Amino acid sequence: MARLNFWDTARKKGIFRKWQIILLALLGLTFSFSVHLLSAASVVPVLEKVPIRSSQPISNASIFHTEVPQSIEQLMQKGKTLYQSEQFAFAAQSFQQAVEVYQSQNDVLNQALALNFLSLTEEKLGHLNQASVAVTTSLDLLKQANLSTSNAKHILALVLNTQGNLQLVLGQVENALQSWQKAAKTYTEIGDNVGNTGTLINQATAFQSLGFYRRTMKIFEQVEKNLLSMPNSLLKADGLRSFGNSLLASGDIEKSQKMLEQSLLVAQQLRSPQEESATLLSLGNAAFARGKRNLIKQSTTDEDNFLPSRCGQAMSAQTGDTNYFKKASNLYHEIANKSSSPITAVQAQLNRLSVLQFLGQQPTSEYRGSIKSALSNLTPSRAAVYARINFAQSLVCLEKAQKQTTKEIFNSPIQNQDFQAGAREQAKIQNPEEIVELLNIAVQQAKDIKDQRAESYSLGYLAQFYEMKKQLPNALRYTELALNLAQVVNAPDIAYQWEWQLGRLLSVQGDSERAVAAYTTAVETLHTLRGDLVALNPDIQFDFRDQVEPVYRQLVGLLLQSDQTLTDKVVTKQVSQKNLKQAREVIEALQLAELDNFFQDTCITIQPTQIGEVVNNANPVTAVFYSIILPDSIEIIVKLPHSEELRHYTTYKSKVEVEKILEALRQKLEQRYTFRDREELSQEVYNWIIKSAIADLEQNNVKNLVFVMDGSLRNIPMAALYDGKQYLIEKYSVALLPGLQLLAPKQKRRRLEALIAGLTESRFGFSSLSNVTTELQQIESIIPSKQLINQAFTDTNIEQQVSSVSFPVVHLATHGRFSSKVEDTYILTWNRKINIKLLREILQTREQVVGRSNRVPPPIELLVLSACETASGDKRAALGLAGVAVRSGARSTLASLWQVDDKSTSVLMSEFYRQLTQDANLSKAEALRRAQEFVLKDKEHPFYWAPYVLVGNWL
């Protein structure tokens, strides 16, 4: 399990929305410091600011105080204090008692308010039914009450916010948006600009979940304007920090840092050490996130960890991101020294411990001792429990790092006995008993505060530690206990982790059948969490790669185990058809999960596609190839037409070697003068994927191949695979798909008419594209077209044209880049870069809006991006191409994997369109094949014709 650092714990967990509600959905409330407790006489309240740690933003649980009976005031204050100290079970008891007292006094407004707090607390405990009942009852009471006063309307707005939070947790995003809009209207009625700003942040969260990029950005601009226009106050400092945290969570790290710096300036001017420390902590988190952001792309490790824990990867001294880690370390160190809050100080110390791992530095024994001492002084709470888990995981990572260092020393040609003796001693520093003790205390504290969710985490991580130490009976026992608790509190985001852990343990014990069952349950649980897996967290891709993706891959590996027959390193396995079909489904599910994670939303529509029916009815005759790269093999599953039985082939080769070969082949394909070595690499990859299926393809008269590719295989154009005599494209048409469940349905082809646009001049540091003019002119001579070039090629003009005319084809000849990071995937227009989320809204000119729908014109049949490229050094860059394909709204996307600023591009494109116009029944894949073959006859090197790939519907 990826280490539970304290920052992630504050969201708990980073990859699930259920533990981000207070951070994100309630961020809008973090500057609503109090709630009115009304007496029966509705006395005007006296406001009191309630301090909250930066790791736990302020929520509706902040309370207003008025002249009410001392006992009930103390009861509400007790509940508030317990809530903010994360003793949620005891807080719920206090709020429940307060509800009963107010009910006996017939105090409807305060009863509604207490129910509001009770709902928030039950939600934190994972008791969603109880939370729903409490907030619904609160709203019912308010419907009966006199809401003429400002205080009464304030309570209504708070309860509506709580309802929105709960609806978001339950996946009811549109309902949540409606609740927050009602809350905003109520805040406006009473002139509460702070509350209104809070609901704006909540609404932005909802719009972002729905994939409405421009609306989200517009709301964020309004929030920024509102906050900066406020006079300096603690309220403003908190609001700016909350907004900065929200921007950080949405991935806008640079803008987040600007808002946080504004918050820090206000706190310093007000001389508030508490607010200053809180904002410094957020700034440290932002610097940490910025340092880690590029590691996914730059990471050179090909190691697949069977266990989910992944410790910080040490950066090389030359890596520019090292400066961000150093800045984060310095900020955390400063906070730990100056903060008056014990939990904030510990949080900073633990975060710094994580940063040191990325810097490749070992903490001193004194530093570790200071953390241990600080932990022992913390009051039991959920935060304290997670802190102990965090520290235990850090100790595990330190042990791993020390063992690696010791191994390198002993493998060194320099045989210094004293040095080796010191290394041997260093490797013994970590004490397993100490780690077990930390986790046992965490378990006991969770029990003491009756927090079953925290108890489940503690038990699960204790089990994982025993798993690492190969103490399987203990690991199995504690895993089952943790899983049972996760199921009791209805926490699928926890349960899937222990289901996966159970599968790993059963697999090691050789119980394959039960292991597959456990893994299958974990994947099914992940599917139910689809909306939560894309929660807005800057660490999401690290979490996905380490905590989600391996579940799918390990399950496929288990399903494809069987007796093996070895022939020339290609293995034919006797795997049951049931297992093959399930493995194919899991591969499809992984492709979808990767795209959800890429976009950080779940706006991709899944088609209820019967895969067999699609392939059997395809014309031309089609076969589908599924691939998955496992640690020691490449697995290929083939669906042939009119055959219920799937074919399966395995090539045994380590992932490290596979990645090296694929990287070398990609480099050779982009170098114009390579020959023999390129053909040899291309033929080797051909042998992995195609060779074993050739007899079946010929027997079934297959003419078209569709590939659902995995990992770095996406960076290789399948058309360029070489069988020793000819390229694949000389025999088969080729298309790519992220999965058949994402296949846009075929529609009757409309008369070809194109919107064509491009840049010939240099813009924003990008080079000129001298051949674009010829390319667009030739297309215009073949099909009716509307041309936008240079100054006319703006995002506004594109949108106006697409919305006014239903162009079947949109052809953009401009710079573009595909990356594994959504913010680095874009195309260039005259006036700006258009990122992929904005491109979607420009091309999909009609939106489904909550409560209203507009008639949507026919979608774009074909989107062509003829001058794009994948980001260099990014092994998963082609994921960006798949993302563009599924989110552009076009049924098919034709794009280039690398840029070819050569007249061959205009030749290929014009021939492609000529083929389509000459035969109305010709598939787009076959038209592309003929165009590529036409260029190949003149320029044989794949550099000129291979980068153009068709993604989506190939018909």
Side-chain angles (χ1 to χ4, degrees):
M1 206 68 54
R3 288 194 325 97
L4 183 66
N5 70 44
F6 217 101
W7 174 30
D8 292 335
T9 298
R11 302 181 178 87
K12 198 61 209 134
K13 279 201 52 146
I15 59 173
F16 300 108
R17 184 173 290 115
K18 290 185 178 180
W19 285 103
Q20 286 191 298
I21 299 308
I22 298 299
L23 179 65
L24 287 177
L26 291 182
L27 271 173
L29 306 176
T30 58
F31 22 95
S32 296
F33 295 108
S34 1
V35 178
H36 295 115
L37 272 183
L38 302 177
S39 68
S42 297
V43 177
V44 177
V46 178
L47 302 186
E48 175 183 279
K49 181 173 180 292
V50 181
I52 299 288
R53 300 185 305 274
S54 65
S55 61
Q56 181 57 61
I58 297 166
S59 71
N60 287 354
S62 311
I63 301 174
F64 285 71
H65 290 279
T66 62
E67 297 176 8
V68 292
Q70 184 68 20
S71 58
I72 186 61
E73 183 183 51
Q74 289 178 343
L75 191 59
M76 291 292 281
Q77 179 64 37
K78 179 182 177 182
K80 173 198 67 178
T81 302
L82 289 167
Y83 180 95
Q84 292 170 354
S85 65
E86 299 191 359
Q87 298 184 31
F88 300 115
F90 298 127
Q93 292 176 4
S94 293
F95 289 135
Q96 181 62 54
Q97 292 173 20
V99 168
E100 294 168 1
V101 172
Y102 284 129
Q103 184 177 18
S104 68
Q105 295 176 350
N106 199 28
D107 187 343
V108 174
L109 289 180
N110 277 330
Q111 183 185 352
L113 185 58
L115 282 164
N116 175 72
F117 300 151
L118 179 62
S119 176
L120 283 168
T121 310
E122 295 287 10
E123 180 188 317
K124 291 292 289 183
L125 289 166
H127 302 159
L128 301 185
N129 288 336
Q130 293 92 318
S132 182
V133 169
V135 75
T136 301
T137 305
S138 179
L139 285 171
D140 289 342
L141 287 171
L142 291 173
K143 289 178 183 177
Q144 305 168 16
N146 179 7
L147 299 180
S148 60
T149 67
S150 175
N151 289 333
K153 291 181 179 180
H154 199 136
I155 292 175
L156 174 62
L158 289 168
V159 178
L160 287 168
N161 262 317
T162 297
Q163 183 184 48
N165 302 331
L166 186 59
Q167 288 166 333
L168 190 64
V169 171
L170 295 171
Q172 302 167 9
V173 181
E174 295 182 356
N175 290 338
L177 183 58
Q178 290 179 342
S179 295
W180 286 325
Q181 288 171 337
K182 291 177 183 177
K185 181 180 179 182
T186 305
Y187 278 126
T188 301
E189 289 177 3
I190 60 178
D192 187 341
N193 293 329
V194 173
N196 192 41
T197 299
T199 60
L200 284 175
I201 295 181
N202 288 344
Q203 289 177 57
T205 302
F207 277 124
Q208 199 155 11
S209 295
L210 293 169
F212 294 150
Y213 174 78
R214 284 189 292 189
R215 294 190 183 191
T216 302
M217 293 301 102
K218 186 176 181 180
I219 291 175
F220 277 161
E221 289 171 4
Q222 184 61 51
V223 170
E224 180 181 356
K225 181 179 178 181
N226 291 353
L227 288 170
L228 293 178
S229 65
M230 293 172 60
N232 281 1
S233 64
L234 294 178
L235 197 66
K236 180 176 181 178
D238 279 316
L240 286 166
R241 184 175 68 252
S242 298
F243 183 41
N245 287 337
S246 181
L247 290 167
L248 177 61
S250 68
D252 192 346
I253 302 176
E254 288 78 7
K255 190 64 173 291
S256 168
Q257 287 179 311
K258 292 179 181 179
M259 292 298 101
L260 292 172
E261 287 165 358
Q262 289 285 333
S263 174
L264 180 62
L265 182 62
V266 173
Q268 289 172 338
Q269 290 175 349
L270 295 173
R271 296 182 179 179
S272 173
Q274 182 176 341
E275 297 301 323
E276 186 178 346
S277 294
T279 303
L280 284 171
L281 187 62
S282 292
L283 278 167
N285 295 342
F288 196 4
R290 194 164 185 176
K292 290 190 289 184
R293 180 169 60 180
N294 293 328
L295 286 186
I296 284 287
K297 295 187 294 183
Q298 296 174 352
S299 176
T300 57
T301 178
D302 294 295
E303 175 187 2
D304 277 83
N305 294 326
F306 184 66
L307 292 172
S309 290
R310 182 184 290 272
C311 302
Q313 178 183 335
M315 307 289 290
S316 66
Q318 291 75 31
T319 303
D321 296 318
T322 300
N323 292 331
Y324 294 118
F325 290 120
K326 290 179 179 178
K327 180 179 179 180
S329 177
N330 292 336
L331 286 167
Y332 292 141
H333 184 66
E334 181 180 354
I335 298 161
N337 288 335
K338 71 165 48 176
S339 176
S340 59
S341 167
I343 193 68
T344 301
V346 170
Q347 178 178 9
Q349 286 178 299
L350 289 170
N351 284 0
R352 184 166 181 261
L353 198 58
S354 297
V355 173
L356 292 177
Q357 294 173 43
F358 285 89
L359 291 171
Q361 299 176 9
Q362 287 288 334
T364 64
S365 57
E366 291 78 8
Y367 189 75
R368 293 195 303 271
S370 67
I371 296 177
K372 186 175 181 180
S373 176
L375 286 171
S376 66
N377 293 325
L378 290 179
T379 301
S381 66
R382 179 174 288 180
V385 170
Y386 290 150
R388 290 183 181 278
I389 298 172
N390 179 291
F391 188 45
Q393 292 178 314
S394 291
L395 294 179
V396 170
C397 287
L398 291 172
E399 180 181 28
K400 179 179 178 181
Q402 288 165 353
K403 285 183 177 179
Q404 180 62 30
T405 301
T406 303
K407 180 180 178 181
E408 291 171 358
I409 290 171
F410 278 90
N411 289 336
S412 171
I414 302 174
Q415 299 297 321
N416 185 313
Q417 293 184 355
D418 291 338
F419 193 44
Q420 291 185 353
R424 191 180 291 110
E425 184 63 28
Q426 279 289 316
K428 297 178 181 178
I429 286 178
Q430 306 309 329
N431 186 349
E433 287 74 20
E434 178 184 4
I435 295 174
V436 171
E437 180 185 9
L438 276 167
L439 293 172
N440 276 325
I441 292 174
V443 171
Q444 187 56 53
Q445 286 192 350
K447 289 181 179 179
D448 291 343
I449 62 174
K450 299 182 180 180
D451 192 330
Q452 292 178 309
R453 205 182 159 91
E455 185 181 353
S456 177
Y457 268 115
S458 304
L459 287 167
Y461 283 111
L462 179 59
Q464 188 182 122
F465 181 71
Y466 282 127
E467 180 185 10
M468 293 173 62
K469 295 300 179 183
K470 304 189 186 307
Q471 298 181 27
L472 299 187
N474 281 340
L476 191 59
R477 178 164 63 93
Y478 286 117
T479 297
E480 290 173 340
L481 289 172
L483 179 56
N484 288 337
L485 278 174
Q487 293 169 340
V488 166
V489 297
N490 189 30
D493 54 317
I494 305 176
Y496 99 87
Q497 299 175 61
W498 312 144
E499 290 160 353
W500 173 24
Q501 192 158 285
L502 181 61
R504 294 195 307 271
L505 293 168
L506 292 170
S507 177
V508 170
Q509 291 181 335
D511 192 343
S512 297
E513 184 176 350
R514 291 177 62 203
V516 167
Y519 269 98
T520 300
T521 303
V523 168
E524 290 170 351
T525 303
L526 284 171
H527 183 71
T528 67
L529 285 166
R530 184 185 172 208
D532 295 323
L533 286 175
V534 296
L536 308 177
N537 173 13
D539 275 348
I540 180 66
Q541 291 193 328
F542 285 86
D543 291 334
F544 179 86
R545 184 178 64 177
D546 305 330
Q547 298 183 358
V548 177
E549 186 176 336
V551 185
Y552 294 88
R553 294 189 181 280
Q554 291 170 17
L555 175 54
V556 172
L558 277 174
L559 289 167
L560 299 183
Q561 285 181 352
S562 72
D563 296 333
Q564 305 164 5
T565 304
L566 179 62
T567 307
D568 295 330
K569 293 188 177 181
V570 175
V571 178
T572 303
K573 294 183 176 181
Q574 298 302 315
V575 179
S576 71
Q577 285 296 309
K578 176 184 176 182
N579 279 15
L580 285 177
K581 289 176 181 178
Q582 185 180 353
R584 180 184 64 181
E585 292 170 359
V586 174
I587 293 172
E588 289 252 2
L590 172 58
Q591 297 272 337
L592 175 63
E594 285 184 300
L595 287 170
D596 282 345
N597 170 61
F598 174 77
F599 285 108
Q600 299 182 17
D601 63 38
T602 52
C603 298
I604 297 173
T605 302
I606 303 175
Q607 305 291 340
T609 304
Q610 294 297 319
I611 295 174
E613 183 178 334
V614 170
V615 177
N616 292 341
N617 296 331
N619 184 18
V621 182
T622 296
V624 181
F625 285 71
Y626 293 87
S627 70
I628 190 163
I629 303 172
L630 298 178
D632 299 312
S633 65
I634 305 169
E635 306 286 347
I636 304 295
I637 298 175
V638 183
K639 164 60 183 166
L640 295 166
H642 308 292
S643 174
E644 293 300 318
E645 290 194 358
L646 299 173
R647 303 296 194 269
H648 172 227
Y649 313 102
T650 298
T651 301
Y652 279 96
K653 195 172 289 290
S654 73
K655 181 180 178 182
V656 173
E657 190 175 357
V658 168
E659 296 286 354
K660 287 180 179 178
I661 292 171
L662 294 176
E663 185 176 357
L665 174 57
R666 174 58 186 262
Q667 291 176 354
K668 296 297 182 183
L669 289 171
E670 290 190 60
Q671 296 168 1
R672 306 182 191 209
Y673 305 107
T674 55
F675 181 64
R676 182 67 60 193
D677 50 353
R678 167 181 50 79
E679 288 185 345
E680 290 175 355
L681 289 168
S682 182
Q683 187 170 357
E684 181 166 9
V685 178
Y686 173 91
N687 291 342
W688 298 346
I689 302 172
I690 305 295
K691 183 178 179 180
S692 298
I694 282 295
D696 286 321
L697 297 179
E698 293 177 348
Q699 183 178 345
N700 287 274
N701 197 30
V702 170
K703 301 298 182 184
N704 181 63
L705 305 182
V706 175
F707 295 93
V708 181
M709 291 287 98
D710 181 40
S712 296
L713 283 168
R714 299 188 187 110
N715 293 329
I716 304 298
M718 294 294 108
L721 297 188
Y722 190 67
D723 67 359
K725 296 181 180 179
Q726 61 181 356
Y727 292 103
L728 194 66
I729 201 66
E730 296 181 80
K731 192 172 183 180
Y732 302 100
S733 57
V734 171
L736 304 178
L737 266 181
L740 286 184
Q741 61 183 337
L742 301 177
L743 177 65
K746 179 184 178 182
Q747 292 202 347
K748 185 177 179 180
R749 182 177 294 178
R750 293 176 283 158
R751 175 175 174 267
L752 283 185
E753 186 178 3
L755 174 64
I756 59 178
L759 295 178
T760 63
E761 300 180 17
S762 173
R763 295 294 292 169
F764 304 107
F766 290 86
S767 62
S768 60
L769 297 171
S770 57
N771 289 287
V772 164
T773 300
T774 303
E775 179 181 337
L776 298 186
Q777 289 175 348
Q778 289 184 353
I779 295 171
E780 200 168 22
S781 69
I782 298 171
I783 60 176
S785 305
K786 169 67 177 178
Q787 185 177 127
L788 301 174
I789 195 164
N790 291 334
Q791 290 90 336
F793 179 26
T794 66
D795 56 340
T796 302
N797 287 344
I798 288 286
E799 184 168 16
Q800 288 175 348
Q801 290 296 325
V802 170
S803 61
S804 61
V805 180
S806 297
F807 290 102
V809 178
V810 174
H811 184 112
L812 306 178
T814 181
H815 288 282
R817 177 160 296 185
F818 305 122
S819 167
S820 61
K821 302 288 288 184
V822 68
E823 64 268 21
D824 294 333
T825 297
Y826 59 85
I827 64 166
L828 186 70
T829 64
W830 180 263
N831 63 317
R832 65 181 298 183
K833 288 180 183 178
I834 300 179
N835 68 37
I836 188 173
K837 291 188 175 183
L838 182 57
L839 178 65
R840 167 186 178 268
E841 296 192 23
I842 288 174
L843 296 180
Q844 295 184 13
T845 57
R846 300 289 189 270
E847 294 179 346
Q848 294 294 329
V849 182
V850 176
R852 182 184 52 152
S853 64
N854 294 319
R855 183 179 178 182
V856 181
I860 296 169
E861 184 67 30
L862 176 64
L863 171 66
V864 181
L865 304 171
S866 64
C868 291
E869 60 186 342
T870 51
S872 61
D874 187 347
K875 293 185 177 182
R876 299 190 177 202
L879 188 63
L881 170 56
V884 170
V886 300
R887 282 289 288 274
S888 66
R891 299 191 182 281
S892 310
T893 298
L894 174 58
S896 53
L897 289 174
W898 60 82
Q899 191 181 111
V900 184
D901 187 16
D902 185 87
K903 66 178 182 180
S904 60
T905 297
S906 58
V907 172
L908 186 146
M909 289 298 165
S910 58
E911 182 65 20
F912 171 70
Y913 287 113
R914 186 175 292 107
Q915 291 290 337
L916 286 177
T917 57
Q918 289 177 351
D919 185 350
N921 295 318
L922 191 69
S923 71
K924 291 189 283 287
E926 178 59 20
L928 177 60
R929 189 197 72 80
R930 294 181 184 182
Q932 289 177 307
E933 195 172 34
F934 184 79
V935 174
L936 184 152
K937 291 176 181 178
D938 180 50
K939 295 187 175 182
E940 183 179 353
H941 197 292
F943 170 84
Y944 297 99
W945 51 264
Y948 304 99
V949 295
L950 184 69
V951 185
N953 197 310
W954 62 90
L955 301 175

